[in-house]
Structures are given as structure tokens and as C-alpha cells.
């Protein structure tokens, strides 16, 4: 469980460095470690099946390295180890984060027939120029073989979001070294590059985004996760995405709790939607923001046919497109209406804008019951920094809360801070002390709102100058323009107050449960018994055990 402190942590940065940690653009790039030397690695694909050949592409200042591969689940199991693998330094193009590094293959190995589905962590170690070890980490997924999987859960890793936040090479969907002045985010990002530091492994004390500080009145916002990243040499976005911060915590919990869990990538879902067919329960967790049309089709069709989708995740926001057999992800985001070729083509529904853009015609709520544009920020910066740390519960009699002992008005998961940092919600109204989606909310038929908390799309405070804010009102004005055609003050007023929800609804022969918060996994990481019980209740019902 987490304990609030009265002061922000000190990572040894000067005020100027703290400001750069938040507002600056720093990233991993070939040559960044200078005279010490370095080693980097990526694989040709995000996932493989047992028996397939994995190809690694390595760039190293050392002539050889050793490598260990460990399955990262409820327990860690070493499956491969080899020393004396030859390496060489391979140059990368300036726009490698957009176009890919283009490195030659360095090593190939066969994925063992006896390697269970899951996440496999690679650790590469070589000798630096100063005689001290240099390391890099990589991760690939072993996807399940096709066929019926009674009693097993399929977890789908949020690889679209990993890719969107990966800072390696300088550009992602947030900041970048692209454009005429080398200062724009890139609408195109490549899978053919290493993962940034902090996406694969993290120390246990790495801060999460939601604040564990009792913020005093009129305090200028601080962002400890970004300060820690700069101070320790990790990616600025380590706490926003990746296996280490999010997906791993559910996978480890589920295996330790006795569930049999397989793992697939979102790219598997896109290209092989039949992967869902063998499972009674599919799970999506953490920060799960970027999806293709095809991925949504896969889930919608699966649930209609009788599948069960459990989403313990937040921020269902952007449509993406995959190109070059999945090696490029496209998302124009805020610049979509001005720049995305889909707006000049035959099918604007595939535009890489927010799912709630009217021209796309497919709000996120149609798949998972909730929309990112009605939720978003909670518990950090100037967005409800003193707000609720758990979900306020309205329908404690619901089957998901069985055995928790929770009451109407209680906070679920407050001790482990499961509410934040981005949440999904709906427009709703209170009748008789209970929340109901409004007629214009886009909620699926039969949706029940089980819990509702407050969120904000605007980092606002009369006491804090805008130059001291990180989030400001940028996202709120984008939502206002997306939904109502103009980013005016009047339209901002309509959208700036958001919420985060837990909802449940039937679809076709199947069912969906959605706890709309990125941080649900923090309750599993911190072993919150009530969060563990709700998670078990959902899995047991959807696996036919309840």
C-alpha cells in the first residue's frame, strides 16, 4: 500500500533540471553514452509462436556480447543463455524512429516448442570501453498456438501504446525530432528500433504517475516520475507505457493467483483476429490508448459470438493504422484533420483521430462502454491532485464486488491508488442517488455504471501560472474542437469536467466488464486485497468458475 508524504521527492536535480525533466525533450539515441560505449537490440517482430525463428538486430561498441532470455511471469524462468555472440556497431539513420534503424541481422534463434506463451525478457551484456559492463534489455512475446483453450485467459499486451510512447531515436507520437524544425512529434513510428529505457525493466521504487504527495495549497505542480527519469537515465515516458510499468503486473498477478494465462500482442489481434476464438476471457490492462479499426472488429465480433472482454485499463483514445506489414504505426492525432491522407481519400472513417470524432462514427464506448474524451486526467499535475485515489462505488450489490465487503459510497482501491492517471468515462446523470448514462452518451444498451470518480481535461488553477503547468488546457480544447467543431471557451466548458467509471454490459451472446483506469494494475502490484478480489470475480465469472 502507498503512504502519502508531505513533500515531493528529491532526486538531486536543480530547479532548471527539474523544469527540463518535464518540458524538455530527452530521449535515447545511438551514441548517447559516449566514450563508455553501449549496446542496443531489437527484434524483427513483436511476437512469435513456438517453433518460429526470432531475428535479433544488435548494435554494439563491443565486439561480442552474452545474452540471457527469461520468461517474465508469476515466476522467472531462464530459457536460453549464450556467450560470445559476435556484434558490431551499426549506424542508424537520423529518422530511425520513423523509418526504422535498418540494422543487419546479428543473431537468430528458434523459439522452443516448450516455451509457454508469455513475455520473454532479453538481457544483453557486453564490456564497455572502461572495462565495466554495458547492458540492454529487450522483450518479445510468445503468442499461443491456435485452438480451444478452456479455462485459460488471453491477455492482449498494449503494443500499440508501447509503440506510440517509445522515445528511442527521438520521435514518438508526443515529441520528436521530425518536421522542418526538428521539433514535432511524428505521426509515423517504426517497430524496427529498440525499446526505450524503462519499458522492459524498472526498479521497484520507480515512481508511478499519480502523486503520492499530500499537495499543499498553491503548490506549483511537480511531476516526480519525469524528474526521476531524467535523474536516472530512463525514458521520459517510462511511466506512461510499457511492459514494466503496466502489462507485467496483471500477468504476474494472474499466474501467481493460479490462473493459466497466455499473452498476445495487439499486432496479433490486428493480423490474426481468430486468436481470440479459443478463449472464454480476453483481458486488456494498463495504459491502452492506441487501437486499429481491425483490432476493435476482432473484439466486437468475439464478444458478439459469446466471448467475455475484461478491460482493466484507461484512455481508449486514438485510432491508428498499421502499414508495411505492421512495421509502421500511423496516428496523426491532433493534426489529423489537417494532415491525415484519410481526410482526402475515400474512407474518412479510418482517419487517425480520436475515436469520438463524428466523422469516424465509432466512439470507444461502442466497444468497451466508455470514452476517453469523457474522462482523462486524475491524480497528477493540476488535475485533481488531491482527488479520490480509488473508485467511488454506487452499486456495491453487483457481482463484481462480491466478497469485498464494500458499501455504497466507499472508495474501491484508494489504499493502492488505482484511480488515475488517465481514466475513461461517460456523460451521466444521478437519479435516486445512482448514476445512469445519459441518452446521448453513446453507452451500449444494458450498461450499468458501478462506480464513478471525477477527472479533468484541464490543468487549471487561479493560483498557478500557465507557464508552470504541463497539461494546461490543450487536450480539453482538442476535445472541444473534435466534438463540437470549435475549440472555443464555451465548448471547452462543455468537456473539461470528466469522470472515470467501472461499467458492465452484455453484447450479443457475450459480456464486457470495464474498470476504466490505467492504474488498476497498481492495486495488483501493491497487493490490494479488494482489487485482487474484484479482479478474481471478473475472471472467475468469465471463465465459468463463478
Amino acid at each position: 500500500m502507498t503512504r502519502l508524504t508531505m513533500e515531493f521527492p528529491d532526486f538531486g536535480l536543480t530547479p532548471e533540471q527539474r523544469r527540463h525533466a518535464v518540458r524538455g525533450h530527452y530521449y535515447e539515441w545511438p551514441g548517447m553514452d559516449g566514450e563508455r560505449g553501449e549496446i542496443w537490440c531489437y527484434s524483427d517482430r513483436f511476437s512469435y509462436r513456438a517453433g518460429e525463428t526470432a531475428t535479433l538486430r544488435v548494435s554494439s561498441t563491443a565486439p561480442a556480447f552474452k545474452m540471457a532470455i527469461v520468461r517474465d511471469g508469476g515466476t522467472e524462468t531462464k530459457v536460453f543463455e549464450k556467450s560470445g555472440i559476435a556484434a558490431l556497431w551499426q549506424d542508424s539513420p537520423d529518422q530511425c524512429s520513423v523509418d526504422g534503424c535498418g540494422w543487419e541481422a546479428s543473431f537468430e534463434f528458434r523459439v522452443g516448442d516448450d516455451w509457454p506463451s508469455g513475455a520473454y525478457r532479453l538481457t544483453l551484456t557486453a564490456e564497455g570501453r572502461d572495462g565495466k559492463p554495458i547492458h540492454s534489455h529487450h522483450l518479445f512475446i510468445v503468442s499461443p498456438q491456435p485452438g480451444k483453450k478452456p479455462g485459460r485467459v488471453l491477455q492482449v499486451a498494449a503494443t500499440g501504446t508501447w509503440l506510440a510512447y517509445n522515445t528511442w531515436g527521438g520521435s514518438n507520437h508526443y515529441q520528436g525530432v521530425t518536421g522542418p524544425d526538428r521539433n514535432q512529434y511524428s505521426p509515423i513510428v517504426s517497430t524496427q528500433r529498440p525499446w526505450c529505457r524503462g519499458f522492459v525493466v524498472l526498479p521497484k521504487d520507480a515512481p508511478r504517475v499519480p502523486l503520492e504527495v499530500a499537495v499543499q495549497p498553491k503548490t506549483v505542480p511537480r511531476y516526480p516520475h519525469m524528474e526521476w527519469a531524467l535523474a536516472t537515465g530512463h525514458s521520459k515516458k517510462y511511466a506512461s507505457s510499457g511492459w514494466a510499468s503496466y502489462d507485467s503486473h496483471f500477468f504476474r498477478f494472474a499466474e501467481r493467483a493460479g490462473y493459466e494465462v497466455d499473452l498476445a500482442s495487439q499486432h496479433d489481434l490486428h493480423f490474426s483476429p481468430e486468436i481470440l476464438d479459443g478463449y472464454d476471457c480476453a483481458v486488456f490492462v494498463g495504459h491502452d490508448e492506441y487501437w486499429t479499426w481491425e483490432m476493435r472488429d476482432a473484439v466486437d465480433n468475439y464478444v458478439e459470438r459469446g466471448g467475455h472482454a475484461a478491460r482493466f485499463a484507461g484512455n481508449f483514445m486514438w485510432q491508428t493504422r498499421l502499414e508495411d506489414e505492421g512495421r509502421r504505426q500511423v496516428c496523426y492525432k491532433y493534426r489529423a484533420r489537417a494532415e491525415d491522407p484519410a481526410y482526402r481519400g475515400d474512407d474518412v472513417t479510418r482517419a487517425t483521430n480520436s475515436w469520438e470524432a463524428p466523422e469516424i462514427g465509432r466512439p470507444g464506448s461502442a466497444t468497451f462502454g466508455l470514452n476517453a474524451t469523457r474522462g482523462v486526467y486524475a491524480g497528477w499535475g493540476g488535475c485533481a491532485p488531491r482527488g479520490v485515489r480509488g473508485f467511488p462505488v454506487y452499486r456495491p450489490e453487483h457481482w463484481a464486488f462480491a466478497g469485498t465487503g464494500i458499501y455504497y459510497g466507499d472508495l474501491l482501491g484508494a489504499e493502492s491508488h488505482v484511480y488515475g492517471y488517465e481514466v475513461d468515462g461517460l456523460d451521466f446523470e444521478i437519479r435516486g442517488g445512482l448514476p445512469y448514462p445519459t441518452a446521448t452518451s453513446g453507452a451500449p444498451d444494458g450498461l450499468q455504471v458501478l462506480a464513478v470518480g471525477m477527472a479533468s481535461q484541464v490543468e487549471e488553477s487561479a493560483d498557478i501560472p500557465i507557464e508552470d503547468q504541463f497539461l494546461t488546457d490543450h487536450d480539453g480544447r482538442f476535445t472541444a474542437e473534435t466534438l463540437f467543431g470549435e475549440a472555443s471557451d464555451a465548448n471547452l466548458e462543455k468537456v473539461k469536467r470528466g469522470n472515470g467509471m467501472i461499467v458492465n454490459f452484455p453484447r450479443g451472446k457475450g459480456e464486457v466488464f470495464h474498470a476504466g483506469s490505467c492504474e488498476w494494475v497498481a492495486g495488483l502490484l501493491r497487493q490490494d486485497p479488494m482489487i485482487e478480489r474484484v479482479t478474481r470475480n471478473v475472471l472467475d465469472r468469465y471463465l465459468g468458475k463463478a
Side-chain angles (χ1 to χ4, degrees):
M1 299 303 167
T2 59
R3 296 181 182 274
L4 290 180
T5 63
M6 298 300 292
E7 295 183 357
F8 287 100
D10 182 359
F11 302 113
L13 301 181
T14 66
E16 293 77 15
Q17 288 172 323
R18 290 204 303 265
R19 188 173 186 85
H20 176 66
V22 177
R23 288 159 185 81
H25 181 40
Y26 48 98
Y27 50 89
E28 300 76 20
W29 49 275
M32 64 181 294
D33 290 344
E35 287 302 313
R36 185 158 184 269
E38 59 205 57
I39 183 169
W40 304 102
C41 167
Y42 66 94
S43 51
D44 59 327
R45 285 154 49 191
F46 282 170
S47 62
Y48 307 90
R49 281 182 170 163
E52 293 184 334
T53 297
T55 301
L56 300 184
R57 304 176 189 276
V58 179
S59 181
S60 173
T61 53
F65 65 94
K66 64 179 180 180
M67 180 175 70
I69 303 178
V70 171
R71 184 182 183 275
D72 186 359
T75 59
E76 292 192 355
T77 306
K78 185 180 290 186
V79 298
F80 184 91
E81 193 167 26
K82 186 175 177 64
S83 300
I85 306 172
L88 74 163
W89 183 257
Q90 305 201 53
D91 291 332
S92 305
D94 174 67
Q95 294 296 314
C96 58
S97 45
V98 179
D99 301 322
C101 290
W103 299 344
E104 296 295 324
S106 305
F107 185 68
E108 293 184 345
F109 62 91
R110 184 177 181 276
V111 177
D113 293 332
D114 58 346
W115 293 14
S117 177
Y120 287 76
R121 188 177 72 234
L122 287 67
T123 301
L124 282 62
T125 304
E127 185 175 303
R129 294 185 179 121
D130 59 2
K132 297 178 181 178
I134 51 176
H135 306 279
S136 71
H137 300 283
H138 184 60
L139 186 98
F140 66 85
I141 291 167
V142 173
S143 300
Q145 299 287 3
K148 191 69 178 169
K149 307 289 196 312
R152 296 186 73 87
V153 174
L154 180 65
Q155 179 179 338
V156 179
T159 49
T161 303
W162 298 3
L163 189 52
Y165 280 87
N166 185 12
T167 50
W168 204 95
S171 290
N172 59 14
H173 288 335
Y174 292 84
Q175 291 179 287
V177 294
T178 57
D181 298 320
R182 296 179 56 81
N183 63 352
Q184 293 181 352
Y185 71 81
S186 177
I188 300 171
V189 290
S190 174
T191 66
Q192 302 301 291
R193 55 182 170 140
W195 291 118
C196 56
R197 287 171 173 166
F199 270 32
V200 178
V201 294
L202 279 173
K204 290 183 178 180
D205 61 353
R208 302 189 69 78
V209 179
L211 295 170
E212 307 303 342
V213 178
V215 181
Q216 301 303 301
K218 301 185 179 181
T219 299
V220 172
R222 292 268 300 274
Y223 308 86
H225 65 287
M226 287 188 270
E227 294 180 18
W228 180 87
L230 183 66
T232 60
H234 286 80
S235 168
K236 182 178 182 177
K237 296 298 188 183
Y238 84 87
S240 296
S241 188
W243 173 256
S245 281
Y246 289 99
D247 310 68
S248 63
H249 300 312
F250 180 91
F251 194 80
R252 293 170 187 158
F253 157 78
E255 287 203 333
R256 289 168 183 163
Y259 295 96
E260 295 179 297
V261 194
D262 292 333
L263 188 69
S265 71
Q266 277 185 311
H267 285 60
D268 292 321
L269 199 62
H270 178 98
F271 290 108
S272 304
E274 69 278 2
I275 198 169
L276 292 172
D277 291 347
Y279 297 88
D280 294 320
C281 179
V283 171
F284 310 86
V285 306
H287 192 186
D288 189 18
E289 185 175 1
Y290 292 81
W291 282 63
T292 65
W293 188 279
E294 292 81 0
M295 295 169 191
R296 288 190 63 178
D297 279 351
V299 174
D300 288 346
N301 293 335
Y302 164 74
V303 175
E304 285 281 352
R305 294 192 302 265
H308 304 95
R311 187 171 194 260
F312 304 99
N315 198 209
F316 194 71
M317 183 70 180
W318 301 107
Q319 175 166 219
T320 63
R321 296 192 300 270
L322 297 182
E323 298 179 346
D324 189 22
E325 299 179 314
R327 287 184 282 268
R328 279 198 306 267
Q329 177 170 285
V330 179
C331 194
Y332 282 85
K333 298 180 63 169
Y334 307 109
R335 308 191 327 240
R337 284 177 174 164
E339 299 180 20
D340 190 340
Y343 280 93
R344 300 185 295 277
D346 296 330
D347 189 1
V348 73
T349 64
R350 301 304 179 93
T352 58
N353 203 330
S354 165
W355 285 114
E356 279 70 68
E359 61 269 26
I360 292 176
R362 195 177 189 182
S365 58
T367 294
F368 286 121
L370 300 174
N371 296 319
T373 54
R374 291 299 180 182
V376 192
Y377 303 120
W380 67 299
C383 295
R386 307 170 190 85
V388 296
R389 296 158 54 85
F391 278 101
V393 172
Y394 282 83
R395 289 183 167 90
E397 71 283 357
H398 189 270
W399 58 260
F401 303 132
T404 63
I406 204 161
Y407 294 88
Y408 175 88
D410 279 355
L411 294 179
L412 174 69
E415 293 83 0
S416 54
H417 206 163
V418 303
Y419 188 80
Y421 74 98
E422 293 178 336
V423 296
D424 291 345
L426 286 173
D427 194 28
F428 72 100
E429 57 192 8
I430 296 288
R431 301 198 305 266
L434 293 173
Y436 296 87
T438 62
T440 58
S441 68
D445 291 343
L447 180 138
Q448 276 194 303
V449 180
L450 312 182
V452 185
M454 297 166 71
S456 177
Q457 293 214 36
V458 174
E459 187 175 35
E460 62 177 350
S461 170
D463 302 313
I464 307 300
I466 195 165
E467 60 268 20
D468 287 328
Q469 300 175 21
F470 172 64
L471 298 166
T472 67
D473 64 359
H474 180 69
D475 285 305
R477 291 195 182 274
F478 169 75
T479 299
E481 190 273 334
T482 299
L483 298 183
F484 302 110
E486 185 183 1
S488 64
D489 288 350
N491 287 336
L492 178 65
E493 191 68 18
K494 298 175 186 176
V495 303
K496 70 181 184 180
R497 301 172 191 89
N499 60 79
M501 291 181 170
I502 301 176
V503 298
N504 175 224
F505 61 96
R507 175 185 290 123
K509 297 178 180 178
E511 188 175 326
V512 176
F513 178 91
H514 186 184
S517 171
C518 293
E519 289 296 300
W520 185 272
V521 294
L524 304 178
L525 169 66
R526 293 163 176 162
Q527 299 181 310
D528 184 325
M530 294 176 79
I531 295 300
E532 290 182 345
R533 180 58 190 258
V534 173
T535 306
R536 284 174 174 270
N537 286 347
V538 174
L539 296 180
D540 290 349
R541 176 182 173 91
Y542 286 177
L543 292 172
K545 296 180 179 181

